[in-house]
Amino acid sequence: MSWNDELYKVYDLVHESGDKELLPIAHSTANAQVELNISEEGNLINASVIDLDDAETVIPVTEDSGARGNGIFPMPLADKLLYLAGDYSLYVKGKRSDNSAYYSAYMIQLKEWLDSDHTHPALIAIYDYLSKKTLIRDLIGAGILKLDDEGCKLADGYKVNKIEQTELFVRFYVSYIDLEKEPRTWKDKSLHDCFIRYTESVMDNKGLCYATGDVCALTYKHPSKIRNSGDKAKLISANDDSGFTYRGRFASKEESFAVGYAFSQKMHNALKWLREKQGLYFGTMTIVPWASALQSIPNVLSKNTDEYSWADEEIYDSLSGYKKALNDYMLGYKRNFSVDTKIMILGLDAATTGRLSVAFYEELVGSDFLKNIEKWHIDNAWVRYDFKLKGFTIKPIGLIQVIEAAYGNEKGNYLDCDDKILRDQIMRLMPCVFEGRRIPEDLVNTLYQNASKPLSYSAAIHNKVLTTACSIYKSFLYRNRGEDISMGYDPNITDRSYLFGCLLALADKTERDTYSEDDKKRVTNARRYWASFAQNPYNTWLRIENSLAPYLNGNVYRGVIEKAFEDIMDKFDMKEFSKAERLSPMYLLGYHQYMSELYKKTKKTEETSYEKSSLK
C-alpha cells in the first residue's frame, strides 16, 4: 500500500481508540493569543491573554479557509480580529483598516451554519456577541489591546505573545447555564460533530476518489500545518492553472488527480497525530515512523543513545552479556508484533515554503525491521568508558552520533552538525540500520580522518570520535568484507596497522602517566604527532620513540614498559614495519583496544599498574 493509504488506516485505528488528540476531519489547529469568555446570551464576561503553552487550538475549517492564502476566506468559528471585529476599522490604521468585507464574509458564513440543521448553542452565543461590533473596544477595556499616544487608534508595534495586536487570533469560551456542557469550544466534541455533519451536507462536488475508488465529495484544497502549527507547506496541491504542472498529459487538474474530502482530511490528520506523537525533526526534514497496528517501535534515530535502557542497567563486559540484554530489550517489541505487522518510515521535507515533498518512504516487514535494528546494534557495539557506571562497558553507537562524529564540528562539550548535512546523511544511512545494508566506505574514511586528528578536538570529544570510528569500521569489516573483529585486544593479530596502533597507545600512556596533576592538560608527543603517524607511521614512530626517553628514565615500571614494546615489535614483519604506506583504520582499533587493555590491567596487578588515567 502507499503511504497515504497507510495513514488513512491509522486515522480509523486512532479514531476507534477514542484518542482525544486526534484532529477530527474538517478541523485544524491554530495558535490563539486571546480567549473570549461569553455568556450563553451573547454577552462578554471577560477576555484574557492565553499562556503560550496553551495556545494551540483546535478549530473548524472550510476547504477554503483550511488552505487560505490571499483572498477572503473566513474560518467558521475562531479567527483573527480582522474577520471577527465589527469595529476594526474604527481603531486600525493603514491599508487593511477597512475590514468590512472580511467581517461580512465571516458573519454570513457563521449565520449559514447557525441556520442549518446542524446548529449548536455556541454558535448563537458567538453570533449574538459579534453582531454588537464591540470586540476591539472590549479588548481595549480589558487591557489586552493598547491605543497610541493620541488614544484613538491601536498603537503600532505593540505585541501580545509576540504577535502584532492587529493580527491576534481569538478563540471562544461559552459559559453555559448547564454546567455539564463543555464551555471550551476547541474541546467540545459535540460542536466538532455538528460542523462535520454541516460540511458534509453542503459539499456538492461529487466524483470518483482516485485513492479509494468511491464516488464521494471531492476536494482540490488540501490541509497545510503538517510539520507544525505554522507550517504552510502542503503535500498535495494543484493550483497552477497557467504553468506546466499537468499540461501535456491532462486538460485540467480534475483529470490529473481527484481525492475525496474525507480521505484527504483523515490522511492529513493522521499524519499530524503521528508527527505529534513520534515525529523526529532534523532541520527542515521531519521523519515519521509507525507500525501498522500502532505498536510501539524502538527509537533508533535518537540523538541520545542513553535512551536505550538496556544499555545502561549494568556494565556489559562481554559481547554475550550485551547481546542478551539487547535481545531481552527487543523481545518486548517482538511480543507485540504479529506476522503481518509492517513498519512505515516517512520522510517529509520542504524545498519551498509552499511545497512539502515526500523525501523517502519505506515499508518494512516488522520482524525484519527489528532483526535489522538488533543487527545494527550488535555490528557496531563498542567498548566505552561509562562515567556513570564507573567502568568499561559495551554500548551501542547511535546513528546521529555516527553522523555528528563524521560531519560535525565541536561546540562546547558536544558535536554540532549542519542541519542540511544531517538530513542528507540520515537519508543515506537509514538503509544501513533498517535494511541491514553495507556501510558506505566514504563514511569510514571520513571517520578515519577525523579520529586521526586528536588536536582538532578536546580530549573528551576526540574519544567520542575515536570510539565511533572504531565501531563503524568494525561494522564495515563485518558487513562489507565478512571479517569478524573482536571488541577486545587480540594479541594474535599481526596486521601492520593494528600493531602500530598498539605502539601509539603504549607511547601515549607511558608519557601521560608521568604527568603531575598540574600537567594533565599537556599534550603527549604521541598525540602531537598522531596525524603524521597515520600517514607515515615508520618515520613518525622513530620520532615518538626517541621522545619517550625522558619519561622512561627513573620510571619504576620501565622494565614492564620496555617488555610491552618488545612484545609488540616481535609481532611485526620488519618489511611491513618500514613500509612507506599510510595506516588503515585498523590502527584505530589497535590503539583503542590496547589502551583499554592497559587500563584493565591497572585494576588487576600492581606490577602492570599505571595509576593515572589518560583515557577519559
Side-chain angles (χ1 to χ4, degrees), residues 20 44 88 107 117 121 127 137 158 166 175 250 304 306 311 317 337 375 409 424 451 493 524 538 565 594-595 597 611:
K20 294 182 179 179
L44 180 67
Y88 190 87
M107 295 299 285
D117 294 334
Y127 185 84
R137 186 186 70 184
Y158 182 75
T166 56
S175 294
F250 305 102
N304 180 13
D306 289 342
D317 55 6
F337 279 25
K375 177 176 168 55
N409 297 307
D424 293 344
I493 294 179
T524 66
Y538 174 69
F565 277 120
Y594 197 82
M595 185 68 83
E597 188 70 13
E611 295 179 350

Side-chain angles (χ1 to χ4, degrees), residues 468-481:
T468 302
C470 289
S471 74
I472 291 301
Y473 189 60
K474 169 181 171 286
S475 183
F476 172 83
L477 289 175
Y478 184 73
R479 292 190 176 198
N480 297 41
R481 299 180 183 174

Side-chain angles (χ1 to χ4, degrees), residues 148-162:
D148 57 20
D149 292 338
E150 297 177 0
C152 298
K153 302 289 185 178
L154 294 180
D156 293 329
Y158 182 75
K159 296 183 179 181
V160 177
N161 287 353
K162 301 180 181 180

Side-chain angles (χ1 to χ4, degrees), residues 383 392 487-491 498 505 509 590-604 608 610 615:
V383 176
F392 286 94
M487 282 182 288
Y489 170 65
D490 186 347
Y498 188 86
K509 194 168 194 319
Y591 173 88
H592 193 272
Q593 290 181 348
Y594 197 82
M595 185 68 83
S596 300
E597 188 70 13
L598 291 175
Y599 283 111
K600 289 177 183 177
K601 287 182 178 180
T602 299
K603 297 182 179 180
K604 292 180 180 178
T608 57
Y610 296 113
L615 185 61

Side-chain angles (χ1 to χ4, degrees), residues 41 62 105 124 127 134 152 223 231 260 310 328 558 596 602:
E41 293 79 20
T62 64
I124 302 172
Y127 185 84
T134 60
C152 298
D231 187 14
W310 53 269
D328 291 344
R558 178 170 184 165
S596 300
T602 299

